[in-house]
Amino acid sequence: MLEFSLVAHLVSLFLDIAAVIEKMEEKKYLKWYQKIGYGSGDIAGNVVYALLTAFVMFYLTDTVGLSMGIIGTLIALSKVFDGVTDFFFGRMIDKTHTKMGKARPWMLWPYIGCSVALVACFAIPTSWGQTAQYAFFFIAYTLLNAVFFTANNIAYASLTALITKNTNERVQLGSIRFIFAFGTSMLIQYITIDAVNWFGGGAEGWRIVAIIYAIVGLIINTISVFSVKELPEADKEIEKERKEEHTLTFFDSFKLLLKNKYYVIICITYIMTQLYASVIGMGIYYMKYILGNEGLFSDFALAINIPMVAMLLILPVIIQKMGGMYKLNVIGYIVATVGRLGVMVAGYMGNIPLMLAFTAIATLGIAPLQGDLNALIASCSEHTTMKTGHRLDGMMYSCSSLGIKIGGALGTAICGWLLDAAGYIKNAAVQTPATIGMLQFLYLWAPAILCLIVTFLLSRLKVEKANKLLMEEKNI
């Protein structure tokens, strides 16, 4: 429970820091408890995402005994459905008008399906033949990602733009939600293996842990939904935007998204960051077969998540002092790239303390983008609104779900294919040299390469400057 206490203390500290910003003249929309309530929704999201990213491949290969290559292929095939559903649910949110608002119903009800499908992914019937097991996993995984998690996650992300127009509040919401996200991720990565063993290990242990996580996620998601309210339908500006939405077909809306180059950059960036998370998640294999102790995965999880939470606490203040998000994000990812290069060198040296130190440095560089990404998407949405007169918050925020699923799932699939091709043998006392080399590439080289790519993408993401120029042109 130390991790929960730490997160609670850090959130309290964040609110104290955020109070400094209350002097700003921009209209405030949210109370402190609404910000906390909204942010807690990422506990529910990461109960699903962290468990899948860090452990589903490990569970399927080393507990159920399925082929890493086949699992990777099934995960990749599942993405065919995801490519359609992200934009579908984004469009549905844009067209929804209820007493609860546009996004909140889509955040609430699909999480029931998330809970059931999450348990199913970690409850593969051990008495079935392998063909039936593969089919069971594919159906459960596809329903979880392509349907339930998609609807819930896009709705959750969309709320950033629907519950406040205050840019600083949006940054605060992004910071708070990612404090909860990484706190949850840290806890899950830290305790899951021990929890599985405590419940007897094997398939039964994984199933019980998944059930507990699913119940916790369902409760917290419900609390988050009812902790905030969307801006009222009576607001004249919003009502005008609502009417404009109905003049567009789905394909018209999709074309508008693609015409916004900043949306495209954010989509690719999101995918790259989730690919990064996936290869880092393969660290459990690196710890087990190269460092010789899979328990070290918990130590590396702390080295990632504690610096992340610490940076997110002060992020709104830093952004305010730097006059925006652009410069901070670029500098941050330069630091992240250097940090991951340090991890690479330390890894080949076999120096674990140095690996942990450089992992923490890299995380400090990555943190700013994690905290302000939702605010960037909101700015991207406003760019489309100012240029076209149409507001597409739901479809615009589809990039968050699209990035999480495509980046995360393809990352897991590619890692599976590469390790399978290298000759990975489950639970082997000693892996083949080719497998060792592949694990080193995935955990040491790939993260540094991905950080470099994201640095370049962020250098092109000048949406704040573009919006300022549009506002000057339109005298807004």
Side-chain angles (χ1 to χ4, degrees):
M1 295 297 102
L2 177 61
E3 289 77 12
F4 272 136
S5 176
L6 175 63
V7 171
H9 177 71
L10 292 175
V11 169
S12 176
L13 177 60
F14 169 82
L15 291 172
D16 291 337
I17 295 173
V20 176
I21 308 171
E22 291 296 316
K23 297 179 181 180
M24 295 182 63
E25 295 181 0
E26 197 173 357
K27 180 182 177 180
K28 307 298 189 301
Y29 292 84
L30 301 172
K31 304 293 185 181
W32 68 267
Y33 54 84
Q34 292 177 303
K35 298 173 187 177
I36 296 296
Y38 171 82
S40 69
D42 244 326
I43 296 177
N46 276 273
V47 162
V48 175
Y49 181 70
L51 189 61
L52 283 179
T53 301
F55 297 111
V56 73
M57 183 70 81
F58 188 70
Y59 159 75
L60 293 170
T61 58
D62 287 33
T63 299
V64 184
L66 301 180
S67 165
M68 186 176 286
I70 295 175
I71 290 298
T73 300
L74 292 177
I75 289 175
L77 288 174
S78 177
K79 297 303 101 188
V80 175
F81 299 97
D82 280 355
V84 175
T85 58
D86 283 292
F87 296 107
F88 170 77
F89 283 114
R91 180 61 174 165
M92 291 301 295
I93 290 169
D94 284 332
K95 292 174 68 66
T96 296
H97 306 291
T98 69
K99 290 183 179 179
M100 287 183 65
K102 294 164 68 70
R104 291 168 69 221
W106 290 100
M107 181 180 169
L108 178 64
W109 302 113
Y111 201 90
I112 298 173
C114 276
S115 300
V116 174
L118 178 66
V119 172
C121 285
F122 287 88
I124 308 298
T126 55
S127 60
W128 290 10
Q130 283 201 338
T131 300
Q133 289 176 328
Y134 286 125
F136 185 94
F137 168 73
F138 179 75
I139 293 170
Y141 185 87
T142 300
L143 286 173
L144 175 58
N145 281 277
V147 181
F148 302 122
F149 186 75
T150 295
N152 171 268
N153 190 257
I154 294 176
Y156 179 53
S158 299
L159 280 176
T160 301
L162 295 172
I163 61 179
T164 177
K165 296 180 184 179
N166 185 306
T167 301
N168 185 64
E169 285 186 334
R170 289 173 178 174
V171 173
Q172 290 181 35
L173 290 177
S175 293
I176 293 173
R177 65 171 289 194
F178 281 108
I179 288 171
F180 280 111
F182 286 99
T184 304
S185 179
M186 175 174 64
L187 184 64
I188 286 178
Q189 292 171 7
Y190 191 76
I191 70 171
T192 295
I193 295 296
D194 288 339
V196 169
N197 292 331
W198 193 83
F199 284 112
E204 180 68 15
W206 282 105
R207 182 166 56 252
I208 293 173
V209 168
I211 290 172
I212 293 172
Y213 287 171
I215 293 173
V216 170
L218 183 61
I219 293 171
I220 294 178
N221 182 77
T222 303
I223 292 172
S224 180
V225 168
F226 289 103
S227 67
V228 295
K229 292 183 179 180
E230 297 177 27
L231 296 176
E233 294 278 349
D235 186 294
K236 293 182 179 179
E237 179 183 346
I238 296 176
E239 185 62 28
K240 180 173 179 278
E241 292 164 355
R242 301 255 191 279
K243 293 177 180 177
E244 289 171 343
E245 290 164 10
H246 294 288
T247 66
L248 295 175
T249 65
F250 173 86
F251 292 104
D252 288 334
S253 300
F254 186 71
K255 289 177 183 177
L256 288 180
L257 290 185
L258 296 183
K259 287 181 180 180
N260 187 333
K261 66 178 180 180
Y262 302 112
Y263 170 81
V264 176
I265 292 173
I266 287 178
C267 274
I268 299 172
T269 300
Y270 228 124
I271 291 171
M272 292 298 107
T273 60
Q274 298 308 313
L275 281 171
Y276 176 93
S278 294
V279 295
I280 293 298
M282 298 302 288
I284 192 167
Y285 292 97
Y286 183 89
M287 312 306 163
K288 181 175 181 178
Y289 295 111
I290 294 182
L291 299 184
N293 179 9
E294 64 189 74
L296 286 170
F297 187 72
S298 299
D299 296 327
F300 278 86
L302 291 177
I304 291 171
N305 290 293
I306 290 178
M308 180 71 72
V309 172
M311 176 58 78
L312 291 175
L313 285 169
I314 60 175
L315 183 60
V317 175
I318 296 176
I319 290 175
Q320 186 185 23
K321 289 185 177 296
M322 295 190 72
M325 298 174 275
Y326 172 76
K327 187 184 297 185
L328 178 60
N329 288 334
V330 174
I331 293 174
Y333 258 85
I334 291 173
V335 172
T337 303
V338 172
R340 288 312 305 187
L341 289 173
V343 174
M344 184 192 306
V345 173
Y348 281 109
M349 291 170 57
N351 190 324
I352 296 175
L354 198 57
M355 289 181 71
L356 288 166
F358 276 115
T359 296
I361 291 171
T363 301
L364 288 173
I366 289 170
L369 181 65
Q370 295 295 328
D372 65 35
L373 192 51
N374 261 24
L376 279 173
I377 299 173
S379 296
C380 187
S381 181
E382 288 165 0
H383 187 76
T384 292
T385 301
M386 284 190 286
K387 290 195 73 172
T388 69
H390 296 286
R391 193 167 190 88
L392 303 169
D393 291 311
M395 291 192 73
M396 192 66 67
Y397 275 92
S398 67
C399 67
S400 62
S401 175
L402 187 70
I404 287 173
K405 293 186 302 177
I406 289 183
L410 284 184
T412 303
I414 291 170
C415 290
W417 291 332
L418 293 176
L419 285 174
D420 191 56
Y424 171 81
I425 304 170
K426 67 171 185 174
N427 294 319
V430 179
Q431 292 290 344
T432 65
T435 301
I436 296 298
M438 186 56 69
L439 286 171
Q440 289 174 326
F441 171 77
L442 290 173
Y443 194 71
L444 301 180
W445 287 82
I449 294 170
L450 289 167
C451 282
L452 188 61
I453 293 172
V454 173
T455 302
F456 170 76
L457 291 168
L458 291 176
S459 71
R460 315 302 298 171
L461 190 55
K462 301 179 181 180
V463 64
E464 293 170 286
K465 181 178 179 180
N467 283 356
K468 185 177 180 181
L469 291 174
L470 282 173
M471 292 174 72
E472 290 174 354
E473 290 176 8
K474 296 176 178 291
N475 295 317
I476 298 176

Short mmCIF file of all heavy atoms in Angstrom, two decimals, residues 209-244:
data_model
loop_
_atom_site.label_atom_id
_atom_site.label_comp_id
_atom_site.label_asym_id
_atom_site.label_seq_id
_atom_site.Cartn_x
_atom_site.Cartn_y
_atom_site.Cartn_z
N VAL A 209 -6.23 -12.79 -9.97
CA VAL A 209 -5.69 -11.43 -10.01
C VAL A 209 -6.44 -10.59 -11.04
O VAL A 209 -6.79 -9.42 -10.79
CB VAL A 209 -4.18 -11.46 -10.33
CG1 VAL A 209 -3.67 -10.06 -10.67
CG2 VAL A 209 -3.41 -12.01 -9.14
N ALA A 210 -6.72 -11.16 -12.21
CA ALA A 210 -7.45 -10.43 -13.25
C ALA A 210 -8.85 -10.06 -12.78
O ALA A 210 -9.34 -8.95 -13.06
CB ALA A 210 -7.53 -11.26 -14.53
N ILE A 211 -9.51 -10.94 -12.07
CA ILE A 211 -10.86 -10.65 -11.54
C ILE A 211 -10.81 -9.49 -10.56
O ILE A 211 -11.65 -8.57 -10.61
CB ILE A 211 -11.46 -11.90 -10.87
CG1 ILE A 211 -11.79 -12.97 -11.92
CG2 ILE A 211 -12.71 -11.54 -10.07
CD1 ILE A 211 -12.20 -14.32 -11.33
N ILE A 212 -9.82 -9.50 -9.66
CA ILE A 212 -9.69 -8.42 -8.68
C ILE A 212 -9.45 -7.08 -9.38
O ILE A 212 -10.09 -6.07 -9.06
CB ILE A 212 -8.54 -8.73 -7.69
CG1 ILE A 212 -8.90 -9.95 -6.83
CG2 ILE A 212 -8.24 -7.51 -6.82
CD1 ILE A 212 -7.76 -10.45 -5.97
N TYR A 213 -8.53 -7.07 -10.33
CA TYR A 213 -8.24 -5.84 -11.06
C TYR A 213 -9.48 -5.33 -11.81
O TYR A 213 -9.74 -4.13 -11.86
CB TYR A 213 -7.11 -6.06 -12.06
CG TYR A 213 -5.73 -6.21 -11.44
CD1 TYR A 213 -4.64 -6.60 -12.22
CD2 TYR A 213 -5.51 -5.98 -10.09
CE1 TYR A 213 -3.37 -6.73 -11.66
CE2 TYR A 213 -4.26 -6.12 -9.53
CZ TYR A 213 -3.18 -6.50 -10.32
OH TYR A 213 -1.94 -6.62 -9.77
N ALA A 214 -10.23 -6.25 -12.41
CA ALA A 214 -11.41 -5.86 -13.19
C ALA A 214 -12.47 -5.21 -12.29
O ALA A 214 -13.10 -4.21 -12.67
CB ALA A 214 -11.99 -7.07 -13.90
N ILE A 215 -12.67 -5.76 -11.10
CA ILE A 215 -13.66 -5.21 -10.16
C ILE A 215 -13.22 -3.82 -9.70
O ILE A 215 -14.03 -2.87 -9.66
CB ILE A 215 -13.86 -6.15 -8.96
CG1 ILE A 215 -14.53 -7.46 -9.42
CG2 ILE A 215 -14.70 -5.48 -7.88
CD1 ILE A 215 -14.61 -8.51 -8.33
N VAL A 216 -11.95 -3.68 -9.35
CA VAL A 216 -11.43 -2.38 -8.92
C VAL A 216 -11.61 -1.35 -10.04
O VAL A 216 -12.05 -0.22 -9.81
CB VAL A 216 -9.95 -2.50 -8.53
CG1 VAL A 216 -9.33 -1.10 -8.32
CG2 VAL A 216 -9.79 -3.33 -7.27
N GLY A 217 -11.26 -1.73 -11.25
CA GLY A 217 -11.40 -0.82 -12.39
C GLY A 217 -12.84 -0.39 -12.61
O GLY A 217 -13.11 0.80 -12.89
N LEU A 218 -13.77 -1.32 -12.50
CA LEU A 218 -15.18 -1.01 -12.72
C LEU A 218 -15.70 0.00 -11.70
O LEU A 218 -16.41 0.96 -12.04
CB LEU A 218 -16.01 -2.30 -12.65
CG LEU A 218 -17.51 -2.17 -12.94
CD1 LEU A 218 -17.74 -1.64 -14.34
CD2 LEU A 218 -18.19 -3.53 -12.76
N ILE A 219 -15.32 -0.18 -10.45
CA ILE A 219 -15.77 0.73 -9.40
C ILE A 219 -15.21 2.13 -9.61
O ILE A 219 -15.93 3.15 -9.56
CB ILE A 219 -15.35 0.20 -8.01
CG1 ILE A 219 -16.11 -1.11 -7.69
CG2 ILE A 219 -15.61 1.25 -6.92
CD1 ILE A 219 -15.62 -1.81 -6.45
N ILE A 220 -13.92 2.22 -9.88
CA ILE A 220 -13.27 3.53 -10.01
C ILE A 220 -13.72 4.24 -11.28
O ILE A 220 -13.91 5.47 -11.29
CB ILE A 220 -11.74 3.37 -9.98
CG1 ILE A 220 -11.32 2.89 -8.59
CG2 ILE A 220 -11.04 4.70 -10.32
CD1 ILE A 220 -9.85 2.63 -8.43
N ASN A 221 -13.93 3.52 -12.37
CA ASN A 221 -14.43 4.13 -13.60
C ASN A 221 -15.80 4.78 -13.36
O ASN A 221 -16.06 5.89 -13.83
CB ASN A 221 -14.55 3.09 -14.70
CG ASN A 221 -15.01 3.68 -16.02
OD1 ASN A 221 -14.26 4.32 -16.74
ND2 ASN A 221 -16.28 3.47 -16.34
N THR A 222 -16.66 4.10 -12.62
CA THR A 222 -18.00 4.63 -12.32
C THR A 222 -17.90 5.90 -11.49
O THR A 222 -18.60 6.90 -11.76
CB THR A 222 -18.83 3.58 -11.58
OG1 THR A 222 -18.90 2.37 -12.35
CG2 THR A 222 -20.24 4.09 -11.32
N ILE A 223 -17.02 5.90 -10.50
CA ILE A 223 -16.82 7.10 -9.67
C ILE A 223 -16.34 8.27 -10.53
O ILE A 223 -16.81 9.41 -10.40
CB ILE A 223 -15.80 6.81 -8.55
CG1 ILE A 223 -16.39 5.81 -7.54
CG2 ILE A 223 -15.39 8.10 -7.84
CD1 ILE A 223 -15.41 5.31 -6.52
N SER A 224 -15.40 7.99 -11.43
CA SER A 224 -14.85 9.04 -12.30
C SER A 224 -15.92 9.66 -13.19
O SER A 224 -15.97 10.88 -13.36
CB SER A 224 -13.72 8.47 -13.16
OG SER A 224 -13.17 9.45 -13.99
N VAL A 225 -16.78 8.82 -13.76
CA VAL A 225 -17.84 9.30 -14.65
C VAL A 225 -18.74 10.31 -13.94
O VAL A 225 -19.08 11.36 -14.50
CB VAL A 225 -18.68 8.12 -15.19
CG1 VAL A 225 -19.94 8.64 -15.87
CG2 VAL A 225 -17.87 7.28 -16.16
N PHE A 226 -19.09 10.01 -12.71
CA PHE A 226 -20.06 10.86 -12.00
C PHE A 226 -19.40 12.00 -11.21
O PHE A 226 -20.10 12.75 -10.54
CB PHE A 226 -20.93 10.00 -11.09
CG PHE A 226 -21.90 9.14 -11.84
CD1 PHE A 226 -21.67 7.79 -12.02
CD2 PHE A 226 -23.03 9.69 -12.42
CE1 PHE A 226 -22.55 6.99 -12.73
CE2 PHE A 226 -23.92 8.91 -13.15
CZ PHE A 226 -23.68 7.55 -13.30
N SER A 227 -18.09 12.12 -11.31
CA SER A 227 -17.41 13.21 -10.59
C SER A 227 -17.35 14.50 -11.39
O SER A 227 -17.04 15.56 -10.84
CB SER A 227 -15.98 12.78 -10.23
OG SER A 227 -15.19 12.62 -11.39
N VAL A 228 -17.65 14.44 -12.68
CA VAL A 228 -17.61 15.64 -13.53
C VAL A 228 -18.89 15.77 -14.33
O VAL A 228 -19.65 14.81 -14.47
CB VAL A 228 -16.40 15.60 -14.49
CG1 VAL A 228 -15.09 15.64 -13.73
CG2 VAL A 228 -16.46 14.38 -15.40
N LYS A 229 -19.11 16.96 -14.86
CA LYS A 229 -20.23 17.21 -15.76
C LYS A 229 -19.71 17.93 -17.00
O LYS A 229 -18.81 18.75 -16.91
CB LYS A 229 -21.31 18.06 -15.08
CG LYS A 229 -22.03 17.35 -13.95
CD LYS A 229 -23.13 18.24 -13.37
CE LYS A 229 -23.88 17.52 -12.25
NZ LYS A 229 -24.95 18.38 -11.68
N GLU A 230 -20.31 17.61 -18.13
CA GLU A 230 -19.92 18.29 -19.36
C GLU A 230 -20.54 19.68 -19.41
O GLU A 230 -21.55 19.94 -18.75
CB GLU A 230 -20.34 17.45 -20.57
CG GLU A 230 -19.65 16.10 -20.62
CD GLU A 230 -20.10 15.23 -21.78
OE1 GLU A 230 -20.54 15.79 -22.81
OE2 GLU A 230 -20.03 13.99 -21.65
N LEU A 231 -19.92 20.57 -20.17
CA LEU A 231 -20.45 21.91 -20.30
C LEU A 231 -21.88 21.85 -20.82
O LEU A 231 -22.20 21.03 -21.69
CB LEU A 231 -19.58 22.74 -21.25
CG LEU A 231 -18.14 22.97 -20.76
CD1 LEU A 231 -17.34 23.72 -21.82
CD2 LEU A 231 -18.11 23.71 -19.45
N PRO A 232 -22.77 22.69 -20.30
CA PRO A 232 -24.20 22.56 -20.59
C PRO A 232 -24.54 22.75 -22.06
O PRO A 232 -23.93 23.55 -22.76
CB PRO A 232 -24.84 23.66 -19.74
CG PRO A 232 -23.75 24.64 -19.52
CD PRO A 232 -22.49 23.83 -19.42
N GLU A 233 -25.53 21.99 -22.50
CA GLU A 233 -26.01 22.09 -23.88
C GLU A 233 -26.53 23.50 -24.18
O GLU A 233 -26.55 23.94 -25.33
CB GLU A 233 -27.15 21.10 -24.11
CG GLU A 233 -26.73 19.64 -24.04
CD GLU A 233 -26.13 19.16 -25.34
OE1 GLU A 233 -26.24 19.89 -26.35
OE2 GLU A 233 -25.56 18.07 -25.37
N ALA A 234 -26.93 24.24 -23.13
CA ALA A 234 -27.50 25.57 -23.35
C ALA A 234 -26.46 26.61 -23.76
O ALA A 234 -26.81 27.69 -24.22
CB ALA A 234 -28.20 26.05 -22.07
N ASP A 235 -25.18 26.29 -23.55
CA ASP A 235 -24.12 27.22 -23.95
C ASP A 235 -24.26 27.52 -25.44
O ASP A 235 -24.27 26.63 -26.27
CB ASP A 235 -22.76 26.59 -23.65
CG ASP A 235 -21.61 27.55 -23.91
OD1 ASP A 235 -21.41 27.91 -25.08
OD2 ASP A 235 -20.91 27.91 -22.95
N LYS A 236 -24.40 28.79 -25.80
CA LYS A 236 -24.70 29.16 -27.19
C LYS A 236 -23.61 28.72 -28.16
O LYS A 236 -23.89 28.24 -29.25
CB LYS A 236 -24.90 30.68 -27.29
CG LYS A 236 -26.15 31.17 -26.56
CD LYS A 236 -26.32 32.68 -26.73
CE LYS A 236 -27.57 33.16 -26.02
NZ LYS A 236 -27.75 34.62 -26.15
N GLU A 237 -22.37 28.88 -27.75
CA GLU A 237 -21.27 28.51 -28.65
C GLU A 237 -21.27 27.01 -28.90
O GLU A 237 -21.13 26.55 -30.04
CB GLU A 237 -19.93 28.91 -28.02
CG GLU A 237 -18.74 28.54 -28.89
CD GLU A 237 -17.42 28.88 -28.22
OE1 GLU A 237 -17.44 29.63 -27.22
OE2 GLU A 237 -16.38 28.37 -28.68
N ILE A 238 -21.49 26.24 -27.82
CA ILE A 238 -21.49 24.79 -27.98
C ILE A 238 -22.70 24.35 -28.79
O ILE A 238 -22.62 23.46 -29.64
CB ILE A 238 -21.50 24.10 -26.59
CG1 ILE A 238 -20.20 24.43 -25.86
CG2 ILE A 238 -21.67 22.60 -26.72
CD1 ILE A 238 -20.14 23.89 -24.46
N GLU A 239 -23.83 24.99 -28.56
CA GLU A 239 -25.03 24.63 -29.31
C GLU A 239 -24.83 24.88 -30.81
O GLU A 239 -25.26 24.09 -31.65
CB GLU A 239 -26.22 25.45 -28.79
CG GLU A 239 -27.55 25.07 -29.42
CD GLU A 239 -27.95 23.65 -29.14
OE1 GLU A 239 -27.53 23.10 -28.09
OE2 GLU A 239 -28.65 23.05 -29.98
N LYS A 240 -24.15 25.98 -31.14
CA LYS A 240 -23.86 26.28 -32.54
C LYS A 240 -22.98 25.18 -33.14
O LYS A 240 -23.22 24.71 -34.25
CB LYS A 240 -23.15 27.63 -32.64
CG LYS A 240 -22.79 28.06 -34.07
CD LYS A 240 -22.26 29.49 -34.03
CE LYS A 240 -21.87 29.94 -35.44
NZ LYS A 240 -20.57 29.49 -35.84
N GLU A 241 -21.97 24.74 -32.37
CA GLU A 241 -21.09 23.69 -32.84
C GLU A 241 -21.84 22.38 -33.01
O GLU A 241 -21.59 21.61 -33.94
CB GLU A 241 -19.92 23.51 -31.87
CG GLU A 241 -18.98 24.71 -31.86
CD GLU A 241 -18.07 24.73 -30.65
OE1 GLU A 241 -18.23 23.85 -29.77
OE2 GLU A 241 -17.19 25.61 -30.58
N ARG A 242 -22.80 22.11 -32.11
CA ARG A 242 -23.58 20.88 -32.19
C ARG A 242 -24.33 20.83 -33.54
O ARG A 242 -24.38 19.81 -34.20
CB ARG A 242 -24.61 20.84 -31.06
CG ARG A 242 -24.00 20.91 -29.66
CD ARG A 242 -24.02 19.59 -28.97
NE ARG A 242 -23.70 19.67 -27.57
CZ ARG A 242 -22.49 19.73 -27.05
NH1 ARG A 242 -21.46 19.82 -27.86
NH2 ARG A 242 -22.27 19.73 -25.76
N LYS A 243 -24.96 21.97 -33.91
CA LYS A 243 -25.72 22.01 -35.16
C LYS A 243 -24.81 21.80 -36.36
O LYS A 243 -25.17 21.14 -37.33
CB LYS A 243 -26.45 23.35 -35.27
CG LYS A 243 -27.56 23.51 -34.22
CD LYS A 243 -28.20 24.89 -34.32
CE LYS A 243 -29.30 25.05 -33.26
NZ LYS A 243 -29.89 26.40 -33.29
N GLU A 244 -23.59 22.37 -36.28
CA GLU A 244 -22.66 22.23 -37.40
C GLU A 244 -22.21 20.79 -37.57
O GLU A 244 -21.92 20.34 -38.68
CB GLU A 244 -21.45 23.13 -37.17
CG GLU A 244 -21.78 24.61 -37.31
CD GLU A 244 -20.63 25.50 -36.86
OE1 GLU A 244 -19.73 24.99 -36.15
OE2 GLU A 244 -20.65 26.68 -37.21
#
